[in-house]
Amino acid sequence: MGKKSTDNKGNVAVLLSGRGSNFVSILQYSRREKSNFNVSLVISDNEASQGLKRARQEGLLALFVNPAAFSDRFGFETEICRHLIAHQIRLVCLAGYMRIVGKTLLNQFPEQILNIHPSLLPAFPGLNAQKQALDWGVRVSGCTVHFVDSGTDSGPIILQKAVPIFNEDDVDALSARILAEEHRIYPLAISLYFSGHLTKQGRRVKINQ
Ligand code: GRF
């Protein structure tokens, strides 16, 4: 897992739809001296997204791919794949990307697409994970970085981090506590991916030191 480019750093593309705070944490980590990956490309399906704007301010190649310009998901994802291939992307990181990933992307990038989800999967997949956790009454929630498969937030898990839930928590308070951990574990998972220390047996991802 994790072939690198000729400068010996893995080329990462970030796909996002909104705010882009995970993208920023990934970018900042990638700019550390000893990082083993570059953010080479940002793609958004939302022209107005904060994340796309920020990527351009950071001087990155940041593309809007308009879903409305394609008659189906195949056409839309084929266009995304064209950009990913042209820029020799080795890992695709979904960061608040609000679309289901289809067969076209999955087949082109097998085991090369990661996602971050704001719960301890397999609990609370899908939308509004923080509200789901509060409504259920769990004492602990957190975040998960996982490989993307054809299901919803169902792929093999790379890293997780737990956070406590307190009596006075509302969705905003819990989301903020989880987000701070998302910003830590997503770059770490990417770094592990390119370190060559990850191996996968069935659903189980092992971190070999
Ligand atoms: C995060 O909570 C992430 O877990 C979920 O979408 C949100 C994206 O936030 N997949 P941001 O755009 O990275 O700030």
Side-chain angles (χ1 to χ4, degrees):
M1 272 178 193
K3 282 185 222 111
K4 293 178 191 154
S5 65
T6 43
D7 67 356
N8 216 28
K9 291 200 175 198
N11 286 338
V12 169
V14 177
L15 265 57
L16 54 80
S17 304
R19 182 177 56 180
S21 70
N22 276 287
F23 148 64
V24 171
S25 78
I26 292 167
L27 178 67
Q28 286 172 345
Y29 190 101
S30 76
R31 288 176 170 168
R32 291 187 190 175
E33 205 182 329
K34 288 189 177 157
S35 141
N36 59 6
F37 64 91
N38 288 315
V39 178
S40 314
L41 178 63
V42 174
I43 296 179
S44 179
D45 61 340
N46 172 9
E47 195 170 23
S49 57
Q50 268 298 113
L52 194 61
K53 193 172 157 201
R54 177 69 185 264
R56 289 181 176 144
Q57 285 166 354
E58 295 287 344
L60 299 182
L61 181 58
L63 306 174
F64 165 54
V65 178
N66 186 358
F70 302 91
S71 57
D72 56 15
R73 190 188 287 160
F74 170 75
F76 174 65
E77 290 197 347
T78 299
E79 175 66 0
I80 290 182
C81 284
R82 194 173 70 74
H83 294 297
L84 298 174
I85 293 164
H87 294 92
Q88 300 183 312
I89 297 303
R90 296 286 171 256
L91 185 68
V92 178
C93 294
L94 311 184
Y97 178 68
M98 299 305 288
R99 280 173 193 275
I100 303 279
V101 172
K103 277 189 286 200
T104 311
L105 259 167
L106 285 170
N107 292 342
Q108 187 68 51
F109 290 90
E111 294 184 348
Q112 294 173 85
I113 307 179
L114 305 188
N115 182 42
I116 181 123
H117 183 75
S119 75
L120 293 176
L121 291 170
F124 314 129
L127 293 175
N128 305 317
Q130 301 93 335
K131 181 173 186 304
Q132 291 186 57
L134 288 171
D135 289 349
W136 193 266
V138 291
R139 298 282 181 204
V140 175
S141 191
C143 48
T144 304
V145 181
H146 63 93
F147 285 103
V148 174
D149 66 9
S150 57
T152 301
D153 303 318
S154 56
I157 289 167
I158 301 173
L159 288 179
Q160 294 188 297
K161 178 75 186 176
V163 307
I165 296 182
F166 302 118
N167 288 342
E168 60 277 18
D169 277 347
D170 58 11
V171 170
D172 287 347
L174 178 59
S175 300
R177 192 174 308 122
I178 293 173
L179 192 66
E181 298 302 338
E182 293 184 35
H183 293 165
R184 293 190 185 101
I185 68 168
Y186 208 173
L188 280 182
I190 298 168
S191 191
L192 276 172
Y193 178 89
F194 285 112
S195 73
H197 292 314
L198 294 185
T199 54
K200 205 161 76 58
Q201 289 167 3
R203 284 200 53 91
R204 259 183 108 179
V205 178
K206 296 197 177 170
I207 302 171
N208 310 295
Q209 297 299 348

